[in-house]
Amino acid sequence: MTKKTIADWQALAEKELKRPADSLVWNTPEGIPVKPLYTADDLAGIGHLDSLPGFSPFTRGPRATMYAGRPWTIRQYAGFSTAEESNAFYRKALLAGQQGVSVAFDLATHRGYDSDHPRVEGDVGKAGVAIDSVEDMKILFDGIPLEAISVSMTMNGAVIPILANFIVTGEEQGVSRDKLSGTIQNDILKEFMVRNTYIYPPEPSMRIIADIIEYTAKEMPKFNSISISGYHMQEAGATLVQELAFTLADGREYVRAAIAKGLNVDDFAGRLSFFFAIGMNFFMEAAKLRAARLLWTRIMQEFEPKKASSLMLRTHCQTSGVSLAEQDPYNNIVRTAFEAMSAVLGGTQSLHTNSFDEAIALPTEFSARIARNTQLILQHETGVTKVVDPLAGSYYVESLTSELAEKAWALIEEVESLGGMTKAVDDGLPKRLIEEAATRRQAAVDRAEEVIVGVNKYRLENEAPIDILQIDNSAVRISQVKRLEQTKRQRDPHAVENALTRLTEVARTGQGNLLEAAVEAARARATVGEISDAMRRVFGDHVATPEVVHDIYGKAYQGDPEMEILSGRLNDYSKVSGKPRVLVAKLGQDGHDRGAKVIASAFGDIGFDVVAGPLFQTPDEAADLAIAQKVNVVGMSSLAAGHKTLAPQLVEALKAKGADHIIVVVGGVIPRQDYDFLIEHGVSAVFGPGTNVMDAARAVLDLLEGRLKNS
């Protein structure tokens, strides 16, 4: 048989297509051209192809036997309401096959506030569990043997008091700190880029990280001192190249900080871990994890470690929250299953699978069981655990691995040219690039250039409501405040004062370890807020200046009739009443600002005059800003379930200040069951997940025109 060539294939393809075969090339958001056909020729010059799992550069996996020897850990991220309710949820999950506990804290805790603080009224017990002291932490892990169960904690801002409380909880459960296993996220650089649950400025925050790495290296040999996270970058809109590059650049910065503290690289490098998002680009996500291991080995070789384990990237993964849709939500079960399979084929060490209802509310027990069972089915029914790195040698996957590594390395080198990741964060480079990518993707979804089944194509005319988990925020706060008051009554006030004074002194002088001092304060029953404030007195608070990208969304709609019609309407309105002015507001302690930034950027390109409000405002502060800026509309962005508390308070604050002429609209992760409540409490329109930005702009203009007509 005569050997067929690429030219033969191209001729046959063009005969089938009746157009050039090159028309099938797809350019990914990362700028990688994906061809319809890959062959052995595409592997020429790729250096990692002869590697084996368990050996440097670990492209094929950090362990020699991978899942053939032991499957990945099923580690579901959860936490809500009170410590009692979260504890019951964890214990049921462990009995049902979950293999580790992963704790979600509420936003008040993340930001270092106790539940009785006036700034967190809408945040307590929402989007995570409320923890105010060791007493809460003891309840959270009651009946969960900490010597046997590893615990992952997503905590960055208030990482010192939370880890201190965990250590003391272990002690009082009879488990010494050297027996505790698990991971603390402790990744503050990405907070300044995307997630925004920071407390202190970058420099003291980096000191906190170094102190935690030092303490755990000496005292907690089974505990991972940091989980360097790209997850929140992708969720904020980063491309896979950006997620890969900025995550590894963060890791390099943390290693440097620990070495500057006087630590030997081999004393801590083996306990560093990573955390990546897994989205819907199936093969590229698997290739991303392979490229991450390859590049991390390259980075760590700079520090000349003696142990092979110091070169090894180990990672937890979570399926994408952004890929979940409110519309036709059972489709999310399928999305999560594909993403989970991609993570597994990429070689993750542990995995969280999202519940199908998480685009709407916190997961119910029903949806959480489906998410957990998705992993159990993968482990026990699909056969993927039988072979190490089953995608190895794939022309396409190996080519993608190499392409991603090359592009990510170029971006890592750009970060280095700025002086490293801390300098790059100060310069705003990562944040700017990620926000541009997010806005670009939103335009592609709105124009249906990127198809989301059930959202912008194949949409159901009528959707049946689904059951959701509702948290009574007021009841949780009352319960927390009651236990907080009891804890303060029963503790020794002098011991607390002495411990907090010592912590402040360590912060001020740099002499001693912050975590070690905080453990003493936690033993004395100092609260999360008190421990955070003891360091705030020296470090201060980080305050970000909101900035919005321009000419991304508008460029995607250039020459589009839909945009021209809307622009014409805006011009007509402006001639009569002036250019409409919109405040995009973030209330409460929710720092997730992807949606707010995309709306601010897109509305600005469409032709509105946009004021981007600062993070962490109270309703009263937002009302004052709206009045001072003479806006026509306040658009409140809510992703953390505080809308039923905060939106009515905003409406009332505007009314009390004589500004009830200002229209209030709310957008974000809002269950349809809550729409009527918000409308009844003075909100003029609600825009749920997946709302087309152009539709939202038209609706806001409708409200303005209606107000003008009736005035």
Side-chain angles (χ1 to χ4, degrees):
M1 182 177 173
T2 305
K3 184 178 180 181
K4 298 300 180 185
T5 66
I6 292 290
D8 294 323
W9 172 84
Q10 190 165 358
L12 182 58
E14 291 180 355
K15 183 179 178 182
E16 290 177 359
L17 291 168
K18 297 183 172 53
R19 67 178 192 270
D22 288 348
S23 66
L24 293 176
V25 173
W26 169 54
N27 283 295
T28 74
E30 294 76 18
I32 296 174
V34 174
K35 304 181 297 182
L37 179 68
Y38 286 78
T39 69
D41 292 343
D42 293 291
L43 303 186
I46 293 178
H48 67 260
L49 296 179
D50 59 352
S51 65
L52 290 171
F55 295 95
S56 176
F58 305 103
T59 314
R60 300 193 61 185
R63 295 175 61 245
T65 56
M66 288 299 288
Y67 310 142
R70 186 181 71 201
W72 67 93
T73 300
I74 299 172
R75 188 186 298 281
Q76 293 296 93
Y77 177 59
F80 54 89
S81 185
T82 61
E84 290 90 344
E85 290 196 50
S86 292
N87 172 262
F89 187 91
Y90 296 153
R91 290 169 72 169
K92 283 182 185 177
L94 289 167
L95 287 172
Q98 186 169 310
Q99 295 151 344
V101 171
S102 184
V103 182
F105 297 95
D106 73 357
L107 290 166
T109 306
H110 271 288
R111 294 266 296 142
Y113 293 115
D114 289 333
S115 297
D116 59 357
H117 198 284
R119 298 195 72 87
V120 300
E121 186 177 348
D123 297 301
V124 177
K126 292 283 193 180
V129 59
I131 297 293
D132 291 317
S133 75
V134 170
E135 296 306 317
D136 290 326
M137 192 75 85
K138 286 169 66 178
I139 294 167
L140 187 67
F141 294 113
D142 183 42
I144 297 173
L146 293 178
E147 75 280 3
I149 299 294
S150 69
V151 175
S152 173
M153 293 178 285
T154 300
M155 179 52 65
N156 302 282
V159 62
I160 287 283
I162 287 300
L163 188 50
N165 280 335
F166 178 69
I167 290 166
V168 174
T169 297
E171 288 175 359
E172 297 188 8
Q173 201 187 84
V175 182
S176 58
R177 53 185 174 270
D178 62 306
K179 300 292 192 300
L180 295 171
S181 64
T183 304
I184 189 83
Q185 192 163 99
N186 193 27
D187 175 8
I188 202 63
L189 286 175
K190 70 96 172 48
E191 297 294 330
F192 296 118
M193 281 187 263
V194 290
R195 191 163 173 256
N196 301 311
T197 50
Y198 45 68
I199 300 174
Y200 315 108
E203 190 174 333
S205 295
M206 289 296 291
R207 180 183 158 197
I208 286 170
I209 287 169
D211 276 16
I212 289 172
I213 292 173
E214 178 186 52
Y215 184 94
T216 53
K218 293 176 180 176
E219 305 287 339
M220 303 171 73
K222 297 172 68 178
F223 200 83
N224 298 323
S225 57
I226 192 167
S227 175
I228 305 152
S229 173
Y231 182 87
H232 305 95
M233 297 181 201
Q234 188 180 139
E235 291 292 277
T239 67
L240 271 61
V241 164
Q242 290 167 353
E243 179 192 8
L244 189 54
F246 294 146
T247 304
L248 298 182
D250 280 351
R252 180 192 249 166
E253 197 84 339
Y254 296 139
V255 171
R256 287 170 174 160
I259 289 173
K261 188 81 177 171
L263 295 178
N264 182 291
V265 65
D266 285 318
D267 290 342
F268 66 87
R271 302 312 302 177
L272 302 177
S273 68
F274 288 80
F275 175 27
F276 287 103
I278 303 295
M280 285 298 288
N281 193 339
F282 185 88
F283 290 105
M284 191 171 283
E285 289 287 6
K288 179 184 75 181
L289 298 185
R290 303 172 88 250
R293 291 190 290 270
L294 177 69
L295 292 180
W296 186 244
T297 297
R298 186 187 301 179
I299 286 170
M300 289 305 294
Q301 284 169 340
E302 299 170 9
F303 302 104
E304 301 180 350
K306 301 296 185 290
K307 296 179 182 176
S309 59
S310 297
L311 301 170
M312 185 188 298
L313 182 146
R314 298 162 302 114
T315 189
H316 171 71
C317 289
Q318 180 173 338
T319 60
S320 171
V322 166
S323 71
L324 303 179
E326 178 206 31
Q327 297 85 354
D328 207 357
Y330 292 110
N331 290 337
N332 295 333
I333 298 171
V334 182
R335 292 184 179 106
T336 294
F338 282 131
E339 290 170 348
M341 176 72 89
S342 180
V344 168
L345 292 177
T348 189
Q349 278 59 71
S350 65
L351 181 62
H352 165 95
T353 33
N354 286 332
S355 300
F356 73 85
D357 50 359
E358 287 188 59
I360 305 165
L362 291 168
T364 62
E365 277 196 43
F366 170 72
S367 66
R369 180 173 61 84
I370 293 172
R372 183 175 58 250
N373 286 354
T374 299
Q375 294 199 54
L376 291 171
I377 290 166
L378 273 174
Q379 285 191 353
H380 296 289
E381 297 186 31
T382 64
V384 295
T385 60
K386 306 300 183 187
V387 176
V388 178
D389 193 18
L391 293 183
S394 159
Y395 301 143
Y396 177 39
V397 172
E398 297 291 13
S399 180
L400 278 181
T401 301
S402 180
E403 284 257 32
L404 280 166
E406 183 180 334
K407 284 187 175 293
W409 188 254
L411 188 50
I412 289 169
E413 291 293 274
E414 184 177 351
V415 167
E416 282 294 284
S417 72
L418 293 173
M421 203 58 182
T422 305
K423 295 280 178 60
V425 167
D426 284 341
D427 181 67
L429 172 74
K431 195 173 188 70
R432 183 171 64 254
L433 293 181
I434 290 170
E435 288 174 6
E436 287 175 0
T439 306
R440 201 173 287 115
R441 181 173 187 262
Q442 184 64 48
V445 171
D446 286 352
R447 290 173 59 80
E449 294 166 352
E450 183 174 330
V451 173
I452 311 294
V453 174
V455 177
N456 61 10
K457 200 167 185 180
Y458 312 112
R459 182 134 185 199
L460 290 175
E461 286 188 20
N462 297 297
E463 295 188 34
I466 65 169
D467 291 333
I468 62 168
L469 180 66
Q470 293 273 13
I471 303 295
D472 186 343
N473 165 243
S474 298
V476 175
R477 192 164 191 257
I478 289 167
S479 169
Q480 286 299 120
V481 170
K482 184 178 179 181
R483 182 153 54 236
L484 197 53
E485 290 171 346
Q486 183 180 13
T487 299
K488 288 180 177 180
R489 281 196 306 270
Q490 294 176 342
R491 68 190 186 179
D492 179 346
H494 298 296
V496 174
E497 184 180 355
N498 290 339
L500 292 174
T501 300
R502 166 65 181 151
L503 177 57
T504 299
E505 188 67 7
V506 171
R508 186 182 65 80
T509 64
Q511 302 299 310
N513 186 286
L514 290 165
L515 179 55
E516 184 177 30
V519 168
E520 294 302 320
R523 283 197 191 105
R525 293 312 190 261
T527 68
V528 167
E530 289 169 336
I531 293 172
S532 299
D533 286 346
M535 293 184 289
R536 266 190 178 104
R537 282 190 277 277
V538 177
F539 298 152
D541 285 275
H542 178 69
V543 179
T545 302
E547 295 179 1
V548 176
V549 300
H550 300 286
D551 302 322
I552 303 290
Y553 193 89
K555 188 179 290 185
Y557 273 91
Q558 199 164 23
D560 188 289
E562 186 181 2
M563 177 67 87
E564 289 177 359
I565 291 169
L566 182 55
S567 296
R569 286 180 60 196
L570 272 168
N571 286 334
D572 291 342
Y573 178 89
S574 299
K575 288 173 186 175
V576 178
S577 292
K579 195 173 185 180
R581 196 163 170 81
V582 178
L583 167 63
V584 179
K586 288 292 295 181
L587 306 187
Q589 300 306 306
D590 174 21
H592 297 80
D593 62 351
R594 170 183 175 153
K597 288 293 185 68
V598 166
I599 288 294
S601 177
F603 267 53
D605 284 1
I606 289 167
F608 290 86
D609 192 2
V610 176
V611 178
L615 292 168
F616 314 127
Q617 284 197 306
T618 64
D620 204 57
E621 289 166 345
D624 285 340
L625 181 61
I627 293 166
Q629 291 289 331
K630 298 179 180 177
V631 304
N632 308 97
V633 180
V634 177
M636 174 185 152
S637 172
S638 176
L639 275 79
H643 51 271
K644 288 177 73 173
T645 300
L646 298 170
Q649 289 181 356
L650 173 61
V651 171
E652 288 303 313
L654 288 168
K655 189 182 295 183
K657 296 171 189 292
D660 53 353
H661 61 281
I662 296 176
I663 296 167
V664 175
V665 299
V666 179
V669 179
I670 302 164
R672 294 183 192 184
Q673 291 92 323
D674 293 349
Y675 286 18
D676 288 344
F677 173 89
L678 293 174
I679 299 297
E680 288 166 6
H681 285 77
V683 172
S684 295
V686 182
F687 305 111
T691 297
N692 183 295
V693 175
M694 292 290 284
D695 290 343
R698 276 189 291 266
V700 169
L701 186 53
D702 287 344
L703 290 168
L704 289 166
E705 289 173 339
R707 184 68 60 92
L708 179 63
K709 184 177 178 180
N710 295 323
S711 63

